[in-house]
Amino acid sequence: MTDTQENLATEQKVIDQHYMLQALDLAKLAAQADEVPVGAIVVKDGVIIGRGSNAPISSHDPTAHAEITAMRDAAKHLKNYRLVGCTLYVTLEPCAMCSGAIQHARIARLVFGANDPKTGACGSVVNLMAEAKLNHHTGITGGVMATECGATLSEFFKARRK
């Protein structure tokens, strides 16, 4: 790797952490609402255009995952159901439903925090993003601030068990 490539990789890591911190703030809001603490944001050209946090319980909507609500917000902002050129940051590896929606929206890049060994569809259980038969392939960067994202989930479930 050249010095230029290393600098670009370091710069991207800093950017990813910056946006993941904002997704973590949304996850904490979900926890305060007694929802599983997952937060997501959509970024286009360095601007946050969509925000979401888990809300399936309070909204009585099984599709109200953080990723879906963030993409809905972004689509309204762009006035387009295609989110071409966007990056989605989410604190937990997306499930199959969200992975499908990410592909349908044409998200260019997905950045997630903690792996989901039970329902993760971006490498942990299955990897829908790598399915050659599908016509869109989103780039994936996993494990960004995984410790912090995982701790948010662990603390939430630990408190619920008390």
Side-chain angles (χ1 to χ4, degrees), residues 21-32:
L21 279 170
Q22 295 183 58
L24 267 168
D25 287 342
L26 292 168
K28 291 172 185 172
L29 289 176
Q32 291 171 4

Side-chain angles (χ1 to χ4, degrees), residues 27-92:
K28 291 172 185 172
L29 289 176
Q32 291 171 4
D34 212 24
E35 299 276 359
V36 175
V38 179
I41 61 170
V42 178
V43 176
K44 184 171 177 77
D45 300 326
V47 177
I48 297 173
I49 61 167
R51 291 176 173 80
S53 55
N54 259 7
I57 298 166
S58 60
S59 66
H60 310 290
D61 179 357
T63 69
H65 288 195
E67 302 94 311
I68 302 288
T69 57
M71 288 188 293
R72 285 177 181 156
D73 192 31
K76 286 179 185 172
H77 176 85
L78 293 177
K79 295 180 175 57
N80 193 337
Y81 72 106
R82 296 284 195 221
L83 302 176
V84 175
C86 292
T87 299
L88 173 67
Y89 291 86
V90 61
T91 58
L92 181 65

Side-chain angles (χ1 to χ4, degrees), residues 4-5 10 24 27 32 35 51 64 68-70 95 106 111 115-116 120-121 123 126 128 136 144-146 150 153 158:
T4 302
Q5 289 171 321
T10 300
L24 267 168
Q32 291 171 4
E35 299 276 359
R51 291 176 173 80
I68 302 288
T69 57
C95 67
R106 303 297 193 262
V111 180
N115 288 336
D116 187 344
V126 296
L128 293 178
H136 177 74
V144 174
M145 299 184 67
L153 288 156
K158 183 179 177 182

